[in-house]
């Protein structure tokens, strides 16, 4: 047994057998922001076999207050979070196979990625993606761990297909927080608390100690010294379209996914083209430069500026329009630059 895991092996809940299981397991991390980077580091240090990280964004200065894998250099280089996380995680534990996926976690992508995944961890900032995760979890019988935080408040719930209610069931019972980090801010201790709940649940699942997995919905407010744990067994709904008797997995239908999204925490709109294709960033940079745009880039993206407008373009045609929450205005900028 590798000496680096000796203290973890001494823990009775894991032991040598559990560590062997952890080293063979594959975790899919959806999101590489505050929750994603923290969970990814915990599991990488724990010695998981494989980690796939999906994220659509890049590192900005406002991330550094709570997103623990990133540095000021990542901000300067505007590295995609998934790529920056992969680089840092490989430096932490070179035995772990880390795959970075730079893009939006759409239903087709999720269905492609989960084929050999053991656990999914939710580290997203929007319910549209969470509902798609929930449906793909139910369709392929893969457990996943919900987590969210804003301000000093956080929550987490472990979802095991066939045993616990799914997120779609929960929404009939529990009103979810309406605030975002844009409107309510966020403090790092709340992030760390959710990470602790999620990563602990992930380790239980990875060692296959299913009796230890928490089946209650946990929420807390660190500033107000509140902690709640709700039993959710009765929330399971037989008519649920995601996990019920006549399930249809409605959130895996791409037609139900919006093509424009206002990103959490910033005046930024993401625009995703209706058809996927690969852009030549080098060619595009040359074209935009001749039109008078200020263009900077790296192998993953282009940052395009003209006056007060700024757009970041990824090689799959996806773009982030900064400085606006107006979807119509954002689309007009996108169409003006990319056609």
């Amino acid at each position: 047994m590798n000496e680096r895991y000796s203290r973890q092996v001494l823990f009775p809940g894991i032991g040598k057998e559990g560590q062997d299981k952890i080293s063979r397991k594959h975790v899919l991390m959806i999101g590489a922001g505050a929750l994603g980077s923290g969970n990814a580091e915990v599991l990488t240090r724990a010695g998981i076999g494989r980690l796939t990280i999906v994220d659509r964004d890049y590192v900005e200065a406002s991330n550094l207050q709570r997103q623990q894998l990133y540095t000021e250099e990542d901000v300067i280089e505007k590295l995609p979070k998934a790529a920056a996380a992969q680089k840092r995680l490989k430096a932490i534990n070179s035995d772990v196979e880390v795959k970075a996926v730079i893009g939006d976690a759409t239903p087709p992508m999720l269905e492609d990625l989960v084929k050999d995944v053991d656990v999914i961890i939710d580290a997203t900032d929007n319910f549209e993606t969470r509902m798609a995760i929930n449906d793909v979890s139910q369709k392929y019988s893969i457990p996943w761990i919900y987590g969210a935080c804003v301000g000093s408040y956080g929550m987490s719930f472990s979802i095991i297909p066939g045993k616990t209610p799914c997120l779609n069931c929960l929404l009939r019972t529990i009103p979810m927080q309406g605030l975002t980090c844009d409107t309510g801010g966020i403090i790092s201790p709340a992030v760390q608390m959710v990470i602790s709940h999620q990563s602990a649940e992930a380790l239980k699942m990875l060692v296959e100690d299913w009796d230890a997995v928490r089946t209650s919905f946990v929420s807390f407010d660190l500033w107000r010294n509140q902690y709640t744990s709700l039993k959710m067994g009765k929330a399971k709904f037989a008519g649920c379209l995601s996990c019920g008797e006549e399930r249809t997995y409605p959130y895996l239908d791409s037609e139900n996914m919006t093509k424009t999204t206002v990103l959490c925490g910033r005046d930024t709109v993401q625009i995703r083209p209706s058809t996927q294709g690969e852009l030549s960033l080098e060619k595009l940079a040359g074209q935009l430069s001749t039109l008078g745009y200020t263009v900077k880039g790296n192998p993953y993206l282009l940052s395009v500026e003209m006056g007060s407008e700024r757009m970041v373009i990824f090689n799959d045609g996806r773009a982030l329009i900064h400085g606006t929450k107006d979807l119509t205005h954002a689309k007009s900028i996108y169409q003006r630059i990319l056609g």
Side-chain angles (χ1 to χ4, degrees):
M1 177 59 61
N2 193 323
E3 177 64 21
R4 75 184 296 161
Y5 308 119
S6 60
R7 301 304 184 269
Q8 189 164 279
V9 169
L10 285 173
F11 174 64
I14 295 179
K16 184 180 184 303
E17 182 180 351
Q19 187 63 46
D20 288 339
K21 290 179 180 179
I22 290 172
S23 69
R24 296 193 298 269
K25 296 297 177 65
H26 182 190
V27 174
L28 176 61
M29 190 77 61
I30 307 299
L35 295 180
S37 60
N39 275 295
E41 181 168 343
V42 170
L43 296 178
T44 297
R45 291 186 183 278
I48 61 171
R50 297 168 61 195
L51 175 66
T52 298
I53 305 175
V54 182
D55 194 275
R56 65 189 179 183
D57 209 351
Y58 62 96
V59 184
E60 292 192 299
S62 62
N63 302 149
L64 301 182
Q65 167 248 356
R66 65 198 180 280
Q67 299 183 18
Q68 64 192 59
L69 286 179
Y70 310 124
T71 66
E72 292 178 353
E73 184 178 352
D74 297 328
V75 174
I76 294 170
E77 295 181 4
K78 289 186 171 62
L79 281 181
K81 290 181 182 179
Q86 179 188 44
K87 179 181 178 181
R88 180 73 183 278
L89 293 170
K90 292 301 292 182
I92 290 172
N93 190 345
S94 59
D95 290 336
V96 177
E97 181 183 339
V98 182
K99 178 182 179 182
V101 178
I102 303 166
D104 219 3
T106 61
M109 176 187 284
L110 288 171
E111 292 204 72
D112 183 58
L113 291 176
V114 298
K115 292 174 181 175
D116 60 351
V117 163
D118 297 290
V119 175
I120 305 171
I121 296 183
D122 162 37
T124 67
D125 60 4
N126 69 88
F127 261 90
E128 185 177 77
T129 304
R130 287 187 176 112
M131 298 309 289
I133 294 171
N134 185 68
D135 273 10
V136 83
S137 159
Q138 297 300 321
K139 183 175 181 178
Y140 295 96
S141 297
I142 302 169
W144 73 285
I145 306 162
Y146 164 74
C149 51
V150 63
S152 56
Y153 179 81
M155 60 182 81
S156 180
F157 183 64
S158 299
I159 298 172
I160 305 173
K163 181 177 180 182
T164 69
C166 76
L167 184 61
N168 208 4
C169 294
L170 255 60
L171 292 179
R172 295 168 50 88
T173 307
I174 298 178
M176 297 298 179
Q177 266 279 2
L179 290 174
T180 69
C181 51
D182 189 21
T183 57
I186 191 165
I187 59 172
S188 185
V191 173
Q192 296 300 321
M193 187 75 157
V194 176
I195 290 169
S196 294
H197 279 290
Q198 287 186 296
S199 57
E201 292 301 296
L203 288 172
K204 296 173 189 177
M205 294 177 182
L206 294 175
V207 301
E208 301 171 18
D209 189 354
W210 300 105
D211 291 337
V213 174
R214 174 177 36 79
T215 56
S216 59
F217 183 95
V218 167
S219 65
F220 61 85
D221 191 321
L222 293 179
W223 208 260
R224 294 177 177 81
N225 304 308
Q226 298 170 350
Y227 189 95
T228 304
S229 179
L230 301 174
K231 294 182 179 180
M232 299 306 302
K234 293 183 179 179
K236 194 166 178 60
F237 174 52
C240 176
L241 296 179
S242 297
C243 72
E245 296 170 355
E246 298 183 6
R247 60 189 73 178
T248 60
Y249 312 115
Y251 299 99
L252 294 183
D253 185 348
S254 293
E255 292 302 314
N256 292 332
M257 301 291 287
T258 62
K259 299 298 187 291
T260 57
T261 307
V262 178
L263 298 190
C264 171
R266 315 206 303 278
D267 285 343
T268 299
V269 173
Q270 173 181 262
I271 297 181
R272 187 173 63 244
S274 56
T275 57
Q276 295 296 312
E278 196 79 7
L279 291 177
S280 171
L281 295 181
E282 184 177 359
K283 181 179 179 181
L284 181 60
Q287 293 172 338
L288 295 176
S289 295
T290 61
L291 294 174
Y293 290 92
T294 300
V295 182
K296 300 178 182 178
N298 58 40
Y300 308 101
L301 55 82
L302 291 181
S303 177
V304 182
E305 298 182 24
M306 192 171 198
S308 61
E309 298 171 351
R310 183 164 74 94
M311 181 167 79
V312 173
I313 307 167
F314 295 80
N315 60 13
D316 61 358
R318 187 171 49 87
L320 303 179
I321 315 298
H322 294 287
T324 184
K325 291 182 180 178
D326 186 323
L327 301 183
T328 301
H329 178 61
K331 282 183 178 180
S332 70
I333 294 174
Y334 182 91
Q335 292 166 354
R336 189 172 73 243
I337 294 178
L338 287 180

